[in-house]
Amino acid sequence: MPSKTAGRSLPVAALVTTLFAMLISVYRVFRNRTQINRLHDLDDNQLRDIGLSRGDLNRAVLGSSFFEDPSSHLTQSARDRVRNLGKDGLCN
């Protein structure tokens, strides 16, 4: 009998773990979207200082689905901009 109970608890534990991971993921996406919305309060010079443009913000939010984290789009935009500046000889 104990083996039956132990056998059933594994799928329940896996289900609880999966559910918890999904909730954390949804929370992270919501939090990051909120932070990106706060970036809209910065002026263009401040955005440029952190390697972004207003267009990057709009593309990140509009280019990602509801459950997709738009912050990865912003990270990629900033990295691409730095990489392109380095090619043009504008960065040290």
Side-chain angles (χ1 to χ4, degrees):
M1 279 253 244
S3 62
K4 267 188 179 178
T5 306
R8 285 188 204 149
S9 66
L10 184 60
V12 171
L15 180 64
V16 169
T17 301
T18 301
L19 181 61
F20 186 70
M22 288 172 59
L23 289 173
I24 296 261
S25 179
V26 168
Y27 169 75
R28 185 179 303 118
V29 168
F30 176 75
R31 183 193 64 206
N32 289 345
R33 282 184 179 274
T34 302
Q35 294 301 318
I36 289 171
N37 284 333
R38 292 182 71 200
L39 288 174
H40 282 283
D41 294 338
L42 300 177
D43 65 35
D44 290 339
N45 291 326
Q46 291 170 320
L47 287 172
R48 196 170 331 136
D49 284 345
I50 60 174
L52 297 172
S53 70
R54 196 152 309 279
D56 293 334
L57 299 178
N58 293 331
R59 279 188 296 279
V61 171
L62 297 175
S64 58
S65 68
F66 181 75
F67 291 107
E68 186 181 7
D69 188 354
S71 64
S72 60
H73 293 280
L74 290 181
T75 301
Q76 191 60 46
S77 293
R79 286 181 180 162
D80 290 346
R81 184 162 290 112
V82 167
R83 208 171 293 127
N84 289 336
L85 288 174
K87 287 180 184 176
D88 295 336
L90 299 175
C91 285
N92 293 334

